[in-house]
Amino acid sequence: MKKPTVFSLVREQSVFMTAIMSLLTFLAVLALGIALSIGTGVMRWNSQWELFATVQVVNPDYIDKTKKIITDNTDKIKTLNEISTEQMTDLMSPWISGGGVLKNYLPKMWEIEFKNADDMKIIGEQISKNARFLTHASALKSSTGAGWKMILMSSFILILTLGAIGICISYIARNTAMLHRRELEILNQIGASDNFVARQMQTIVAKISATATTIGFIVATPVLLLIISTAHSTRVGLMAMLGLSGAGWFILFLLPVAIVIFSIWTTRRTTIKILQNT
């Protein structure tokens, strides 16, 4: 036979706790989802460009030497793209004008994809004596750094949100204990243990937390998908790489479960502390 709870939250408290935990869960899921999406984007970004490099020769005297080094190591190169003067002119025309004079100042450039990192390092050291050897990973380091900073900010927001959830639950548990002080005295007189009373509060909070976290997760999911979709639509740089893998969605799904468990633990801890001081 199922045992009924001895007391429960008043309606206003239940509505408040459900609403505030739904909002906080929404923020927590959104913050974690954004952090995971950016983390996925950073990894995709790095893996995409980690074997690419650009060779720039400014001094015409070194063009043949550089070209020979590249030709002698074609077995270590996966793809080789020599950027023509016309392509360079098109790339630079929005910033520099000058017609035929511009061609005299444009560097000779190759875009190279190597077969592995060791080959890139060896050939890069040879080319660096005659030209500028710039890996795409180092050139795009600022974008990667910005991504990690956004992850840290999202993580900080997540920690603050979880802290706010803990404070709200502690407040509700303390307030409920004060409102039901008479019931607690009666329970103590008939020999009810602190664990029994704590389980009453845990049952109530578990039901409210489960409802609130479900609502927060359901509302946050389409918003998160909209953010990722908007980032993809930019088709530019790191933003276009954002996404969530299957493991990411699994971690995201575990967050509401963790919040419910955290709520139950916080309720028990707070209730026991109040009962021991009563």
Side-chain angles (χ1 to χ4, degrees), residues 133-150:
F133 184 84
L134 181 65
T135 63
H136 286 201
S138 60
L140 300 171
K141 190 176 292 184
S142 58
S143 297
T144 303
W148 286 118
K149 288 178 183 178
M150 287 188 284

Side-chain angles (χ1 to χ4, degrees), residues 61-87:
D61 297 336
Y62 295 121
I63 292 178
D64 292 336
K65 294 180 181 179
T66 303
K67 191 171 184 178
K68 187 178 185 305
I69 294 173
I70 295 174
T71 304
D72 292 343
N73 291 280
T74 50
D75 58 318
K76 300 180 178 66
I77 296 173
K78 186 176 181 180
T79 61
L80 176 63
N81 178 30
E82 183 176 346
I83 301 176
S84 65
T85 304
E86 289 73 19
Q87 289 175 316

Side-chain angles (χ1 to χ4, degrees), residues 145-276:
W148 286 118
K149 288 178 183 178
M150 287 188 284
I151 291 173
L152 289 175
M153 287 188 288
S154 298
S155 301
F156 181 67
I157 293 173
L158 176 62
I159 293 172
L160 289 180
T161 304
L162 293 177
I165 291 175
I167 293 172
C168 288
I169 295 169
S170 297
Y171 172 78
I172 291 295
R174 182 179 298 276
N175 218 23
T176 301
M178 296 300 102
L179 288 173
H180 295 279
R181 182 185 294 273
R182 180 59 179 167
E183 288 91 332
L184 293 177
E185 291 175 355
I186 294 173
L187 288 172
N188 286 330
Q189 290 173 4
I190 63 176
S193 65
D194 291 348
N195 289 332
F196 174 81
V197 179
R199 280 196 297 272
Q200 303 296 311
M201 285 296 300
Q202 285 179 295
T203 301
I204 298 166
V205 172
K207 291 178 180 178
I208 293 176
S209 298
T211 301
T213 52
T214 301
I215 295 172
F217 182 81
I218 291 174
V219 175
T221 299
V223 176
L224 183 59
L225 290 173
L226 180 61
I227 292 173
I228 295 174
S229 176
T230 304
H232 286 176
S233 65
T234 62
R235 300 182 182 276
V236 176
L238 178 63
M239 297 300 291
M241 299 290 176
L242 301 190
L244 279 173
S245 61
W249 280 111
F250 180 71
I251 294 173
L252 206 59
F253 176 76
L254 288 180
L255 179 60
V257 178
I259 290 176
V260 173
I261 296 173
F262 176 67
S263 301
I264 294 172
W265 176 81
T266 303
T267 300
R268 176 180 176 79
R269 182 173 177 273
T270 303
T271 304
I272 292 294
K273 185 176 181 180
I274 292 172
L275 291 173
Q276 290 175 348

